[in-house]
Amino acid sequence: MRVDVYPKRVFTFVESRPGEDIYEIRVMLRDVPGALAKTANVIAEAGINIKTSIVFASLPNEKQGFWTAFIDVSNSKIGIDELTEKLNALDVVLNAQIVKPKPAAYDIMHFPIQHGEERAVVMPISLLKNLFEEIEKILTPSGFAAVFYNAGKRSGENFAKYYREKFNPKTKEELAELLFLCTGAIGWGRVETYSLDLNRISGKVRLVGNIEGAMRNKGAEPVCHWTRGFLTGYLSIATGREIEVKEIKCIGKGDEYCEFQLEAK
């Protein structure tokens, strides 16, 4: 199935326009149909604009969840205290809190960030680029490539084992597909096309917007050593065989996308 894709903003911060009065609201809701609609209706009736929001379960075994949003109250018909009272009076609301983050509208109501069951961090690409560049100053080009390839390979092996245990895929092809779905969802890069024969150990994977290639300075050689290592480790576990992955096209050397070729070792 092919769908249109658009950039996704992570719920960490919201830009405010001149004249807006931004607050953050967190509502703990009962896990019942219509809970979010009832809550949003109170906010709409108050003339408050919802800038952005997220909804997620608090704990897997609890029948409740959070709805958190940045709201603009500049045209609100009621005050913050009255809005809080109205929300807490709803039968679907367990608790509602509204705060004003200062001096900028950053999320101050949730920590830590989680990706699935594991803690995660949101790092702008500029900071990650600085990290790579400083490490590159210390190591020789071959040493840099080896360190990041080996780190990627180990990460790929561990990730494949984790996915196999968590999702119990029926085939090695399904295990590979899980990785390709994940890469776009977490912002690593979007697998645009792939043609893999995991029985004969051959094929190619095309990765568009690969963050590793995008943040590196342009050069004559492929630079995505961590990504290449990750694919090697992951697909080796998926196939049960030692494989080799080569990067044959790379954003880091001016190509439109990164492309990796899979071969038997």
Side-chain angles (χ1 to χ4, degrees), residues 136 141 213 216-225 247-255:
E136 197 168 17
R216 303 295 304 283
N217 295 324
K218 298 293 186 290
E221 300 295 329
V223 296
C224 301
H225 310 300
E247 188 174 15
I248 55 178
K249 291 187 178 181
C250 181
I251 299 173
K253 67 181 187 70
D255 293 321

Side-chain angles (χ1 to χ4, degrees), residues 44-94:
E45 288 179 348
I48 294 171
N49 183 37
I50 299 171
K51 298 279 291 182
T52 185
S53 70
I54 55 170
V55 181
F56 58 92
S58 55
L59 290 171
N61 298 324
E62 294 186 11
K63 294 185 177 181
Q64 62 191 42
F66 289 110
W67 175 61
T68 305
F70 287 112
I71 57 176
D72 172 24
V73 302
S74 57
N75 295 313
S76 178
K77 302 171 186 175
I78 60 177
I80 295 299
D81 290 343
E82 185 178 350
L83 175 61
T84 304
E85 290 177 7
K86 282 179 174 287
L87 290 171
N88 279 314
L90 293 174
D91 60 347
V92 295
V93 171
L94 298 172

Side-chain angles (χ1 to χ4, degrees), residues 42-206:
V42 170
I43 292 173
E45 288 179 348
I48 294 171
N49 183 37
I50 299 171
K51 298 279 291 182
T52 185
S53 70
I54 55 170
V55 181
F56 58 92
S58 55
L59 290 171
N61 298 324
E62 294 186 11
K63 294 185 177 181
Q64 62 191 42
F66 289 110
W67 175 61
T68 305
F70 287 112
I71 57 176
D72 172 24
V73 302
S74 57
N75 295 313
S76 178
K77 302 171 186 175
I78 60 177
I80 295 299
D81 290 343
E82 185 178 350
L83 175 61
T84 304
E85 290 177 7
K86 282 179 174 287
L87 290 171
N88 279 314
L90 293 174
D91 60 347
V92 295
V93 171
L94 298 172
N95 178 262
Q97 287 185 289
I98 305 174
V99 297
K100 185 170 182 62
K102 294 180 179 180
Y106 277 95
D107 173 25
I108 61 174
M109 288 188 153
H110 297 286
F111 182 85
I113 295 172
Q114 287 184 278
H115 172 64
E117 299 168 356
E118 190 171 4
R119 183 173 173 179
V121 62
V122 176
M123 180 182 291
I125 190 172
S126 57
L127 300 186
L128 195 59
K129 184 176 189 292
N130 291 339
L131 175 63
F132 269 64
E133 288 176 347
E134 289 304 312
I135 295 174
E136 197 168 17
K137 290 177 183 178
I138 299 170
L139 301 173
T140 63
S142 60
F144 179 88
V147 166
F148 278 88
Y149 172 82
N150 289 330
K153 185 172 184 289
R154 180 181 174 188
S155 298
E157 291 169 347
N158 291 337
F159 212 59
K161 292 172 184 176
Y162 168 75
Y163 264 14
R164 178 175 282 165
E165 181 178 346
K166 182 174 180 62
F167 295 107
N168 192 28
K170 296 181 177 64
T171 65
K172 50 182 173 284
E173 287 77 15
E174 281 191 8
L175 184 55
E177 180 70 21
L178 281 168
L179 173 63
F180 300 155
L181 289 174
C182 173
T183 57
I186 65 174
W188 175 4
R190 185 168 60 88
V191 175
E192 187 176 73
T193 60
Y194 65 93
S195 55
L196 295 179
D197 186 333
L198 297 182
N199 293 312
R200 296 184 178 181
I201 315 297
S202 64
K204 295 178 182 178
V205 176
R206 179 180 297 179

